[in-house]
Amino acid sequence: MKTDLTINGKAHALEADTRVTLLDALRNHLGLTGSKKGCDHGQCGACTVLVNGRRINSCLTLACMHDGDEITTIEGLGTPDALSAMQAAFVSHDGFQCGYCTPGQICSATAMLAEVHDGWPSHVTDDITAHAELTDPEIAERMSGNLCRCSAYPNIVDAIREVANNATKEAAE
Ligand code: FES
Ligand code: FES
């Protein structure tokens, strides 16, 4: 089946079986191996990508369901010479050890900050009618779908907090 996808700003006409997941399409058909396969059943978040700006576990969705969609993978957030703010913060805060979970963490954190910006509450938000403060428990809850076997969580939270604080400062200027 043919599926038209825009991935990291580039059009792709994917020819694949209807049973191929988005993760396998990215990795095995299109050569975009930044998104990782940890569990292949929605438990670890290593495969997180953005679909039309929202984070999604790409192992839990079929590629053919995304005809016409815009997909962003870790390769599309930044490049080695021009890292995104979140990528740079993960480097400067040492937010990884083996790095296997890192593409999913960074894609997830990038979309998570957009969710906070849009006023989405989380399970630990006390007042769901107010704009949530991005406290450490809020970050932990909102990132709870992304597991790290190396347990780099404190540094991951530091990196996310820095990007969130910088965005707040820039908005105030
Ligand atoms: Fe998709 Fe683990 S590989 S959630
Ligand atoms: Fe190794 Fe997270 S850095 S699993």
Side-chain angles (χ1 to χ4, degrees):
M1 178 178 173
K2 178 168 165 286
T3 305
D4 289 317
L5 304 167
T6 302
I7 305 173
N8 302 330
K10 196 169 155 209
H12 292 268
L14 174 74
E15 276 293 347
D17 189 281
T18 51
R19 294 165 294 183
V20 171
T21 65
L22 180 58
L23 177 61
D24 285 342
L26 291 169
R27 290 182 56 83
N28 302 339
H29 293 253
L30 302 168
L32 290 165
T33 54
S35 307
K36 297 294 185 269
K37 183 183 284 191
C39 63
D40 210 21
H41 61 267
Q43 300 291 304
C44 73
C47 64
T48 305
V49 300
L50 311 187
V51 175
N52 301 329
R54 297 296 183 205
R55 53 185 169 164
I56 186 172
N57 286 341
S58 61
C59 70
L60 285 187
T61 189
L62 298 172
C64 64
M65 294 163 63
H66 294 283
D67 193 51
D69 281 352
E70 293 205 8
I71 294 159
T72 306
T73 68
I74 190 69
E75 293 94 338
L77 288 181
T79 65
D81 294 331
L83 297 175
S84 74
M86 192 64 76
Q87 289 170 324
F90 267 67
V91 172
S92 64
H93 287 276
D94 212 10
F96 49 84
Q97 288 183 39
C98 77
Y100 198 80
C101 72
T102 311
Q105 299 276 3
I106 291 175
C107 285
S108 190
T110 300
M112 183 272 279
L113 291 189
E115 292 163 12
V116 174
H117 180 265
D118 291 347
W120 290 20
S122 82
H123 183 63
V124 298
T125 306
D126 286 332
D127 180 357
I128 62 169
T129 62
H131 206 275
E133 283 291 311
L134 202 57
T135 59
D136 286 3
E138 278 279 359
I139 294 175
E141 168 60 24
R142 289 169 188 268
M143 292 297 294
S144 61
N146 291 82
L147 306 183
C148 176
R149 282 289 296 269
C150 301
S151 215
Y153 297 114
N155 295 6
I156 291 170
V157 171
D158 286 349
I160 295 170
R161 193 191 312 107
E162 178 187 272
V163 176
N165 288 344
N166 287 345
T168 305
K169 272 188 222 150
E170 278 167 26
E173 283 170 7

